[in-house]
C-alpha cells in the first residue's frame, strides 16, 4: 500500500541521517529524532505481537511474546539509529531538551 511505501522511505531517510558522520548536525534535533525513532520502533512492529500481548494464555506465553518483541526491536535498523542519537547526548542541556519531549 501507499502508506507502507511512505514508511519505508521515511525509515530509509532516517537511517541515512542518523549516523556518526552527521552527529554534530543532529544534536539540535535530537529531542524530535529520538521521539520519532521510538514511535517508529513501535509502529513497525507486527500487529500480531500486539494482539498476542493482550491475550491471556499464561505467564510463559506472555514472556515468550515479550522476548519476541525485544528481539525484533533489537534487530530493527531503527534501533541502530536510536543508539547513534543517544550516544550524541553529551550534556545536561541536551538531556533537559530530550526528556520533556519524550514525556509528552
Amino acid at each position: 500500500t501507499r502508506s507502507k511505501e511512505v514508511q519505508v522511505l521515511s525509515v530509509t531517510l532516517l537511517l541515512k541521517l542518523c549516523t556518526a558522520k552527521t552527529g554534530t548536525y543532529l544534536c539540535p534535533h535530537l529531542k524530535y529524532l529520538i521521539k520519532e525513532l521510538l514511535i517508529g520502533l513501535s509502529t513497525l512492529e507486527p500487529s500480531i505481537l500486539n494482539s498476542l500481548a493482550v491475550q491471556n494464555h499464561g505467564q510463559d506465553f506472555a514472556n515468550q511474546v515479550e522476548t519476541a518483541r525485544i528481539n525484533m526491536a533489537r534487530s530493527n535498523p531503527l534501533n541502530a539509529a536510536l543508539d547513534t542519537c543517544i550516544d550524541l547526548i553529551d550534556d545536561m542541556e541536551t538531556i533537559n531538551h530530550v526528556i520533556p519531549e519524550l514525556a509528552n
Side-chain angles (χ1 to χ4, degrees):
T1 65
R2 187 81 172 137
S3 67
K4 194 65 167 176
E5 292 170 0
V6 172
Q7 282 181 336
V8 170
L9 177 63
S10 299
V11 167
T12 303
L13 290 173
L14 279 173
L15 292 175
K16 287 183 179 185
L17 287 172
C18 298
T19 66
K21 293 178 183 178
T22 59
T24 57
Y25 302 106
L26 293 178
C27 288
H29 310 287
L30 286 177
K31 67 180 184 178
Y32 304 113
L33 280 170
I34 290 172
K35 183 177 181 179
E36 293 305 317
L37 288 167
L38 288 170
I39 290 170
L41 279 172
S42 65
T43 58
L44 293 176
E45 180 180 87
S47 59
I48 188 69
L49 287 178
N50 287 325
S51 299
L52 292 172
V54 297
Q55 295 177 9
N56 188 7
H57 294 294
Q59 190 61 40
D60 287 339
F61 182 77
N63 289 340
Q64 290 175 349
V65 170
E66 192 58 29
T67 299
R69 290 176 108 166
I70 291 169
N71 289 336
M72 290 187 78
R74 284 183 183 153
S75 65
N76 190 320
L78 288 179
N79 199 39
L82 184 59
D83 285 343
T84 299
C85 289
I86 290 170
D87 288 343
L88 293 172
I89 298 174
D90 60 357
D91 60 19
M92 285 306 293
E93 183 180 348
T94 305
I95 291 171
N96 289 334
H97 284 100
V98 170
I99 299 293
E101 187 67 27
L102 295 177
N104 288 332

